[in-house]
Amino acid sequence: MLHRPRATSRHLAVFALLIAGAPLADAQSNLDTVELRGTRAAEPPRVDVRRTCPDVDEHLTEGLARAIYMSGQAGTIHVRFQLDGERVGKVETRGGPLDYRAPLRRAVRGMACANDGQPNQQYNFLVVIRPTDEASDAMQDRVAVQELPASLALAR
């Protein structure tokens, strides 16, 4: 007889779980519909920095002149920035000598760029700094802005 009450208690436990779960199942079917709204997918980074910021070469050459004079190192620095209207913001630099990163970010923030009507555009480009060359001592020959192919801009 002791075995029988155990079976009954098991059945009662299963029955209690079923009864307790019934309101939850009913509540789940009566949930309100939720509508999700989001922004469209982010545009790929732009690589035509010279088109939007026509004086980029001269501006970065002037902004990096002191750092290049002090460091004299060669390097390639990947630059990414956001343009909102005519305001440059969220400047990031990656790669190259550390001595150039802060002056480069300051120079990019100070660039004059045209507003083409699209908000929050991302731009990617490379700045190549060449070592001092005896044949050419001109600063404009030491700093080169290279626009990335679109396929490489996505990968960076």
Side-chain angles (χ1 to χ4, degrees), residues 33-131:
T33 303
V34 176
E35 184 176 331
L36 298 177
R37 291 189 181 145
T39 58
R40 65 181 187 180
E43 295 290 325
R46 291 183 59 172
V47 294
D48 57 343
V49 68
R50 283 190 182 98
R51 180 173 164 228
T52 308
C53 311
D55 296 330
V56 64
D57 295 285
E58 295 83 15
H59 193 78
L60 296 185
T61 299
E62 289 173 16
L64 288 169
R66 186 175 196 286
I68 292 171
Y69 177 77
M70 298 298 287
S71 174
Q73 297 179 57
T76 301
I77 304 166
H78 176 240
V79 179
R80 169 181 265 158
F81 72 92
Q82 184 173 342
L83 183 66
D84 189 9
E86 293 178 357
R87 191 180 73 77
V88 174
K90 293 186 182 178
V91 180
E92 299 173 9
T93 56
R94 197 171 66 204
L98 293 175
D99 294 343
Y100 298 141
R101 291 187 188 180
L104 182 56
R105 286 191 299 269
R106 277 193 300 274
V108 171
R109 281 188 200 100
M111 289 189 315
C113 299
N115 182 357
D116 65 356
Q118 298 179 14
N120 298 325
Q121 298 175 73
Q122 292 284 335
Y123 285 83
N124 282 340
F125 63 97
L126 295 176
V127 175
V128 179
I129 300 170
R130 298 181 185 107

